[in-house]
Amino acid sequence: MTLRPPTSALRPTSRRILRTGLPVLMLGTLLGACSTGPHDSTGLARPQNKLLKEDRGATGGNDQLAKSGVNAYLWRGAIDTLSFMPFASADALGGVILTDWYTPPATQNERFKITCFILSSNLRSDAVRVSVFRQVLQDNQWVDTPVAANTVSDITSKILTRARQLRADSGHKN
């Protein structure tokens, strides 16, 4: 009795379709995701942050966010704090912000990505979880490297400070 790996159960035509069809499908998906929005004078698509068009005032959107278990002040504080980076995804009702890779203008050989979770409807320090990912360009390849020890706590503090400021601006005390 000959044992074969599970992939040998695929017929040669099935394997060929997977080898050629999958990259074509992925390329089509990537091209379909390209922006067809407004372009600048160079022909490049202008970055759009649809969240900036939303009401980000201290009281705007509290009803929906309160029902979802996400603190509206923390959410808006996180959006304001991370707005210098391009957003890949932001779900206010789920309390999740995912940024795309950001390369600081001063250092072209490193890039950062941030994931932020709003975990509670309470304005507390443990209601925000931030993860920062850093990559450095080495030999024309991006390599994962650790961030500075205080980076996550600094970003979390800035989010909390902005959230408290929004809460104070809305007339709440403490």
Side-chain angles (χ1 to χ4, degrees), residues 56-129:
R56 297 183 313 145
T59 59
N62 281 349
D63 293 341
Q64 278 189 332
L65 291 179
K67 292 176 190 172
S68 72
V70 173
N71 183 283
Y73 301 114
L74 284 174
W75 173 256
R76 278 184 288 287
I79 291 291
D80 287 353
T81 302
L82 301 176
S83 65
F84 70 96
M85 298 181 76
F87 291 123
S89 176
D91 177 14
L93 298 179
V96 180
I97 300 170
L98 305 173
T99 70
D100 205 350
W101 287 106
Y102 170 75
T103 302
T107 56
Q108 294 296 311
N109 65 341
E110 68 178 343
R111 64 185 186 175
F112 297 89
K113 183 183 265 194
I114 296 177
T115 303
C116 178
F117 297 98
I118 309 300
L119 304 171
S120 172
S121 59
N122 298 320
L123 180 52
R124 300 179 354 182
S125 62
D126 63 350
V128 179
R129 182 178 306 144

